[in-house]
Amino acid sequence: MSEVVDKSTLAKQASTRLGALSTQDKNETLLMMAKALISHTDEIITANVEDLERGRAQGTSESMLDRLRLDSVRIEGIASALRQIADLDDPVGDLLETLERPNGLIIEKIRVPIGVIGIIYEARPNVTVDAAGLSLKTGNAVVLRGGSAALSSNRKIVEILHQALKQSAIPHNALQLIEDADRASVNEMMKLNGIIDVIIPRGGHSLIQNVVQNSTVPVIETGAGICHTFIDATADHQMAQDIAINAKVQRPSVCNSMETLLVHTDYDQTALITLAEALRQDQVEIRGCALTRERISWAKEATEQDYATEYNDYILNIKIVANLDEALQHIATYGTMHSECIVTDDEEHAKRFMQEVDAAAVYHNASTRFTDGFEFGFGAEIGISTQKLHARGPMGLPALTSTKYRIYGNGQIRQ
Amino acid sequence: MSEVVDKSTLAKQASTRLGALSTQDKNETLLMMAKALISHTDEIITANVEDLERGRAQGTSESMLDRLRLDSVRIEGIASALRQIADLDDPVGDLLETLERPNGLIIEKIRVPIGVIGIIYEARPNVTVDAAGLSLKTGNAVVLRGGSAALSSNRKIVEILHQALKQSAIPHNALQLIEDADRASVNEMMKLNGIIDVIIPRGGHSLIQNVVQNSTVPVIETGAGICHTFIDATADHQMAQDIAINAKVQRPSVCNSMETLLVHTDYDQTALITLAEALRQDQVEIRGCALTRERISWAKEATEQDYATEYNDYILNIKIVANLDEALQHIATYGTMHSECIVTDDEEHAKRFMQEVDAAAVYHNASTRFTDGFEFGFGAEIGISTQKLHARGPMGLPALTSTKYRIYGNGQIRQ
């Protein structure tokens, strides 16, 4: 048997025991895992240096190396995330519904773990710990396949976590790391229907699309965000400027930042120029439609391709639209159903926008940057689902659970 | 453009208007659709005769032809199902949760339509109407690809439904029938990510597996049921017999019927023989393990393959197990996570079974035949999900919805 099948099968076997674990047992385990990481900080850093040196020898970019790098502060942060997960409410076992049928059957709908979660991700060792913590807290076994550039770090981290699990109520086989660096191991994981219950890809566009296109195991798609802010004719100028700037520059590299600003043609032209100047001061390059370029002389030209691009950078498209319908149409065409915002004082326009825009999160008078599990108060975030099944928008712990019906009778048979 | 892309795109365009429709508008449309089918009964029967004659000429089996056949009674039944769907509560627009954040943001989680639902099914014209009704009631557009053996019937039915939709609040493009009989049209549908939001296969094992294996669009898997009943040592004899016989013979052809009976070795041997005789009187062929064959002399031998087979027929495996653990192990190995039952008076055993068996529906002292949307009181059934994401077990209308977050602010930006 291959490593993938072998380890995934062990994870599945372990998973059958996890659903019955008490919340206390799971939380104590998470705290033990955090403690183990802290007390083995030096070993983790040594392993991480191997990855960094190999990366540097292979010419890996500095920004990639930075994402890969671990130091004692970062390891404390990773351990701290485990402690935070321990603090969260445990959704497993929640009674969601009770149905009493005329024939006397009592039907209970209960939250249960999904089973085995596969995570395919890039060379970010923090994801190794985070995914393990979230999965185990929700009673799931987890099979991790991280980017091979972080293999030494991941191997050491999982070795340490395994030692902690061996002292705990959770069977250590519930946590598996695929070490095979070959791409074939990813392909194999994606076909393990019946062993792995769901695959969650975490990473950039091409990683996610590879999983979506090739996995026969169900996938929770996360990621791409081409988010818009629409400044309506009646928008408060200061509020519109604050929200637009926040959505663009507070953290341009993330999926809930704004890529295109839509502005009603009747919006005050001086206010628009003031906003554009403020963006320019924040180093934002502006690409505009023809009307935008008439109003903002220094804007470059925006192409169709630009409207369809997730820049994740200090670049912004601006398009002047004739009315709400044109804004809605633009969002329907170019949006990725992630986060969309209208700034307006017109209640009727707000109502239509909130109703008609098809996205995970739709905002009236607030920045799209709030689409986030922590900002929503979930206390954790597995990712932001951009699909419509199972979970949509920021995913907290319940997104890692399924349900089951328990039916209690006293001899009922069907007529 | 191909027929599939063309019609699916029209469905997607139409879908954007469906979320805002009132429940009353949707219900009136469903009643108009029902009325139209009744008043065009003769035309439907004429079209159906074409399908039947073509089928007969091609040597289609009588049981297949029976599933394909429409007469005035069956058409009344199909129309009546639409009226029942009109009577059901509309889940769209339901406010599922309201979160108030410290920064003043109000976050509402609302039920919304999924968008465009693709249904791939066999030559059963009743599914054409049922799937259309369920999808439109939940504000979804629907792309139907039925078995080509029912094409004349389906074409006529959709023509009649389109006429009804043209008088209604629902754009007729929300209902699309793929007429291309080539298998390539199915393959094309399964790759339309971004246009079709979910595919639900309805039919036999090979149809469903083809979709699960090849669709890049998310799938809701329904179907296969290898269901077990475990008679514990302490089970009431009459109750055990009633439940086992009901689970096997009340309707053997369906997915929630029993395929294997597990019996505790300490269960009364006379009671077991009485049960076996009763099954034999109901024409059930029994295949048993070695111990079973010692106790029931006329039982045939059960092979490993038998335990893994969904007979959907008057055949039953019986296996004697040493204890609850062996029963749980057998179910974990051969079950399809559909419906599983324990008959016992031992509360501790019942509790473990209900907790540890990983299935959509787990029963204590009741027949597995109750796993059904109507029996659960949902008033409709899109199918029985055997997967763990999005929906599990019998699916009512909410399974055809997604959610969206609406966030209301007064200028909040992220710090």
Side-chain angles (χ1 to χ4, degrees):
Chain A
M1 273 207 286
S2 74
E3 185 202 11
V4 172
V5 173
D6 196 16
K7 290 186 171 175
S8 301
T9 303
L10 288 172
K12 183 173 168 64
Q13 287 163 357
S15 75
T16 61
R17 292 171 51 196
L18 301 185
L21 289 174
S22 72
T23 301
Q24 194 187 338
D25 278 345
K26 290 186 286 188
N27 290 347
E28 280 171 7
T29 305
L30 290 166
L31 297 179
M32 288 162 70
M33 288 162 63
K35 202 172 160 193
L37 291 174
I38 297 292
S39 63
H40 292 84
T41 294
D42 291 348
E43 288 174 53
I44 296 172
I45 291 174
T46 305
N48 184 247
V49 166
E50 284 177 33
D51 286 330
L52 291 170
E53 283 175 357
R54 198 172 59 246
R56 211 168 277 118
Q58 289 167 357
T60 306
S61 72
E62 273 309 313
S63 70
M64 293 283 277
L65 290 175
D66 182 61
R67 285 162 55 175
L68 176 56
R69 184 175 293 111
L70 293 175
D71 55 29
S72 60
V73 174
R74 287 189 175 181
I75 292 170
E76 168 51 37
I78 289 170
S80 165
L82 284 178
R83 290 183 215 112
Q84 282 172 35
I85 294 170
D87 271 346
L88 295 177
D89 287 341
D90 181 358
V92 173
D94 282 357
L95 177 62
L96 299 177
E97 224 174 326
T98 303
L99 307 165
E100 295 195 37
R101 301 297 302 151
N103 60 8
L105 286 180
I106 308 289
I107 303 177
E108 293 180 348
K109 187 176 187 179
I110 311 270
R111 252 193 215 291
V112 297
I114 289 178
V116 180
I117 296 174
I119 313 265
I120 296 173
Y121 57 106
E122 290 166 344
R124 304 187 76 151
N126 61 315
V127 174
T128 305
V129 180
D130 195 46
L134 294 166
S135 299
L136 296 176
K137 170 82 184 202
T138 45
N140 294 291
V142 60
V143 179
L144 302 169
R145 174 44 168 91
S148 53
L151 185 57
S152 298
S153 310
N154 287 339
R155 195 185 272 150
K156 176 54 72 182
I157 287 170
V158 169
E159 180 193 316
I160 293 165
L161 296 180
H162 271 172
Q163 286 165 14
L165 290 177
K166 282 175 186 166
Q167 322 287 319
S168 84
I170 297 183
H172 73 282
N173 275 331
L175 169 61
Q176 298 291 341
L177 176 73
I178 304 301
E179 301 186 14
D180 183 351
D182 197 287
R183 276 219 153 206
S185 67
V186 174
N187 294 332
E188 211 179 346
M189 259 182 91
M190 296 192 291
K191 307 288 181 191
L192 284 189
N193 299 62
I195 298 178
I196 295 179
D197 294 288
V198 58
I199 290 188
I200 304 177
R202 288 178 65 168
H205 183 70
S206 71
L207 180 146
I208 291 170
Q209 282 309 307
N210 179 43
V211 175
V212 169
Q213 294 297 320
N214 296 302
S215 181
T216 56
V217 174
V219 174
I220 299 180
E221 186 174 352
T222 61
I226 298 180
C227 304
H228 302 78
T229 301
F230 170 49
I231 300 180
D232 198 8
T234 61
D236 177 89
H237 300 169
Q238 189 62 48
M239 187 190 289
Q241 175 160 332
D242 290 347
I243 288 175
I245 289 180
N246 187 257
K248 181 69 253 181
V249 308
Q250 198 255 350
R251 198 169 170 207
S253 62
V254 291
C255 58
N256 58 17
S257 64
M258 170 175 63
E259 306 298 0
T260 296
L261 178 69
L262 303 168
V263 181
H264 194 291
T265 188
D266 293 340
Y267 183 67
D268 186 84
Q269 295 202 22
T270 314
L272 175 60
I273 290 166
T274 308
L275 166 57
E277 289 296 340
L279 286 163
R280 179 151 73 164
Q281 287 204 353
D282 279 326
Q283 318 300 325
V284 177
E285 173 187 322
I286 290 178
R287 303 183 186 176
C289 65
L291 263 177
T292 301
R293 281 174 283 129
E294 281 179 21
R295 297 179 190 184
I296 306 165
S297 57
W298 46 271
K300 298 186 183 172
E301 184 176 351
T303 64
E304 286 299 300
Q305 185 53 43
D306 288 334
Y307 292 131
T309 300
E310 184 178 8
Y311 295 122
N312 285 339
D313 203 351
Y314 287 83
I315 308 173
L316 176 69
N317 307 312
I318 298 184
K319 186 178 177 184
I320 309 289
V321 293
N323 48 41
L324 174 61
D325 285 313
E326 191 183 342
L328 292 171
Q329 186 56 51
H330 183 96
I331 291 169
T333 306
Y334 298 101
T336 53
M337 305 197 296
H338 192 299
S339 299
E340 306 293 351
C341 165
I342 182 171
V343 187
T344 188
D345 278 353
D346 182 326
E347 284 303 321
E348 201 47 48
H349 282 191
K351 200 176 161 197
R352 276 195 63 201
F353 190 91
M354 301 301 268
Q355 166 73 43
E356 293 180 31
V357 170
D358 184 18
V362 190
Y363 291 83
H364 178 205
N365 291 349
S367 167
T368 55
R369 286 279 296 115
F370 286 109
T371 303
D372 175 280
F374 296 93
E375 292 295 332
F376 274 34
F378 299 163
E381 181 182 284
I382 293 104
I384 296 171
S385 165
T386 52
Q387 63 178 45
K388 292 188 181 178
L389 292 190
H390 187 68
R392 194 176 191 200
M395 295 186 288
L397 292 181
L400 292 183
T401 66
S402 180
T403 59
K404 119 176 164 186
Y405 288 104
R406 292 187 191 152
I407 302 100
Y408 298 92
N410 47 22
Q412 281 85 347
I413 59 172
R414 188 155 165 192
Q415 304 303 321
Chain B
M1 274 207 287
S2 75
E3 185 202 7
V4 172
V5 174
D6 196 17
K7 290 186 171 174
S8 300
T9 304
L10 288 173
K12 185 174 167 64
Q13 288 163 356
S15 75
T16 60
R17 291 171 50 195
L18 301 185
L21 288 176
S22 72
T23 302
Q24 195 187 337
D25 277 344
K26 289 186 286 188
N27 291 347
E28 281 171 6
T29 304
L30 290 166
L31 297 179
M32 287 163 69
M33 288 163 64
K35 203 172 159 189
L37 291 174
I38 297 292
S39 63
H40 293 84
T41 294
D42 291 348
E43 289 173 52
I44 296 171
I45 291 174
T46 304
N48 185 246
V49 166
E50 284 178 32
D51 286 331
L52 290 171
E53 283 176 357
R54 199 172 57 244
R56 211 169 275 121
Q58 290 169 355
T60 306
S61 73
E62 273 308 313
S63 70
M64 293 284 277
L65 290 175
D66 182 60
R67 284 163 55 176
L68 176 55
R69 184 174 293 113
L70 292 175
D71 54 27
S72 59
V73 174
R74 288 190 176 179
I75 292 169
E76 168 51 36
I78 290 170
S80 165
L82 285 177
R83 290 184 216 111
Q84 282 172 36
I85 295 169
D87 272 346
L88 295 176
D89 287 342
D90 181 358
V92 174
D94 282 358
L95 178 62
L96 300 177
E97 225 174 325
T98 303
L99 307 165
E100 295 195 36
R101 302 296 303 149
N103 60 8
L105 285 181
I106 308 290
I107 303 177
E108 293 181 347
K109 187 176 187 179
I110 310 271
R111 252 193 214 293
V112 297
I114 290 179
V116 180
I117 296 174
I119 313 266
I120 296 174
Y121 57 108
E122 291 165 345
R124 305 188 76 153
N126 60 314
V127 175
T128 305
V129 180
D130 196 47
L134 293 165
S135 299
L136 296 177
K137 171 82 184 201
T138 44
N140 293 291
V142 60
V143 179
L144 302 169
R145 173 47 168 87
S148 53
L151 184 56
S152 298
S153 310
N154 286 340
R155 195 185 274 152
K156 175 56 70 180
I157 287 170
V158 170
E159 180 193 318
I160 293 165
L161 296 180
H162 271 171
Q163 285 165 14
L165 290 177
K166 282 175 185 165
Q167 322 287 320
S168 83
I170 297 183
H172 73 281
N173 275 332
L175 169 61
Q176 298 290 340
L177 176 72
I178 304 302
E179 301 185 14
D180 183 351
D182 198 288
R183 276 218 154 210
S185 67
V186 173
N187 294 333
E188 210 180 346
M189 257 181 92
M190 297 191 291
K191 307 288 180 193
L192 284 189
N193 300 60
I195 299 178
I196 296 179
D197 293 289
V198 58
I199 289 187
I200 306 177
R202 288 178 63 167
H205 183 71
S206 70
L207 181 146
I208 290 170
Q209 282 310 307
N210 179 43
V211 174
V212 169
Q213 293 298 320
N214 296 302
S215 181
T216 55
V217 174
V219 174
I220 300 181
E221 186 174 353
T222 63
I226 297 180
C227 303
H228 302 78
T229 301
F230 170 48
I231 300 181
D232 199 7
T234 62
D236 177 88
H237 300 170
Q238 190 62 47
M239 188 191 287
Q241 176 160 330
D242 291 347
I243 287 175
I245 290 181
N246 186 257
K248 182 68 252 181
V249 307
Q250 198 254 352
R251 198 170 170 203
S253 62
V254 292
C255 58
N256 57 18
S257 64
M258 170 175 64
E259 306 298 0
T260 296
L261 179 69
L262 302 168
V263 182
H264 194 291
T265 188
D266 294 339
Y267 183 67
D268 185 83
Q269 296 202 20
T270 314
L272 174 60
I273 290 166
T274 308
L275 167 56
E277 289 296 342
L279 286 162
R280 178 150 73 162
Q281 287 204 353
D282 279 328
Q283 317 301 326
V284 176
E285 174 187 321
I286 291 178
R287 304 183 185 177
C289 65
L291 263 177
T292 300
R293 282 176 281 130
E294 281 180 21
R295 297 178 192 186
I296 305 165
S297 57
W298 47 270
K300 298 185 183 172
E301 183 176 352
T303 64
E304 286 299 300
Q305 184 53 44
D306 289 333
Y307 293 131
T309 301
E310 184 178 8
Y311 295 122
N312 285 340
D313 202 349
Y314 287 83
I315 308 173
L316 176 70
N317 306 312
I318 298 184
K319 185 177 179 186
I320 309 288
V321 295
N323 48 41
L324 174 62
D325 284 314
E326 192 183 341
L328 292 170
Q329 185 56 53
H330 183 95
I331 291 169
T333 307
Y334 297 101
T336 53
M337 304 198 297
H338 192 296
S339 299
E340 307 292 351
C341 166
I342 183 170
V343 187
T344 188
D345 278 353
D346 183 325
E347 285 303 320
E348 202 45 52
H349 283 191
K351 199 177 162 196
R352 275 196 62 202
F353 191 91
M354 302 300 270
Q355 167 74 44
E356 293 181 31
V357 170
D358 184 18
V362 190
Y363 291 82
H364 179 205
N365 292 348
S367 167
T368 55
R369 286 279 295 112
F370 286 109
T371 305
D372 175 280
F374 295 93
E375 293 294 332
F376 274 34
F378 299 164
E381 183 183 283
I382 293 104
I384 297 172
S385 165
T386 53
Q387 65 178 42
K388 293 188 181 177
L389 293 190
H390 186 67
R392 194 176 192 201
M395 295 187 287
L397 292 181
L400 292 183
T401 66
S402 180
T403 59
K404 124 176 163 185
Y405 288 104
R406 293 188 193 152
I407 302 100
Y408 298 92
N410 48 21
Q412 282 84 350
I413 58 171
R414 189 157 166 190
Q415 303 303 321

